[in-house]
Amino acid sequence: MGFQVSRWMAASPDAVFEACADFAGAAQRVDAIEQVDMLTDGPVGVGTRFLETRTMFGKASTEEMEVTQFEPGKSYTLEADSCGSHFVSRLDFVP
């Protein structure tokens, strides 16, 4: 099961990618995200892990996210396991 969402932004793919891949700062940009706690140090890339707490359906939920694919300026994939399900989110940045 899956779905696709597209969004046009008046910015270069590199600039949008840089903002979206700033996981530590996500709570300042995304209303539903309450807190992000980085679990790994160093630059973001494959293997980066963080805890993300967000409000969904009126309830706070914290998930451990891991970057499993990372191509700077082009795409990244996040994966998480929660409530017996495996979630995969792939973001592609194109002109």
Side-chain angles (χ1 to χ4, degrees):
M1 184 165 137
F3 61 93
Q4 179 177 338
V5 176
S6 296
R7 175 118 353 162
W8 180 86
M9 297 184 181
S12 71
D14 285 339
V16 177
F17 180 91
E18 186 176 325
C20 290
D22 173 18
F23 305 118
Q28 286 74 46
R29 291 184 314 281
V30 180
D31 290 339
I33 297 176
E34 297 174 17
Q35 182 175 332
V36 173
D37 297 306
M38 299 304 295
L39 300 175
T40 54
D41 295 324
V44 172
V46 172
T48 295
R49 293 179 12 258
F50 58 94
L51 293 176
E52 178 186 277
T53 301
R54 68 168 58 217
T55 300
M56 294 179 17
F57 309 112
K59 294 183 180 183
S61 177
T62 301
E63 309 301 338
E64 182 175 329
M65 312 293 285
E66 181 174 358
V67 177
T68 58
Q69 177 271 330
F70 192 81
E71 189 173 351
K74 296 188 179 186
S75 69
Y76 67 79
T77 302
L78 295 174
E79 297 192 39
D81 292 304
S82 179
C83 301
S85 295
H86 183 75
F87 296 90
V88 178
S89 300
R90 179 182 168 99
L91 284 79
D92 293 303
F93 301 83
V94 296

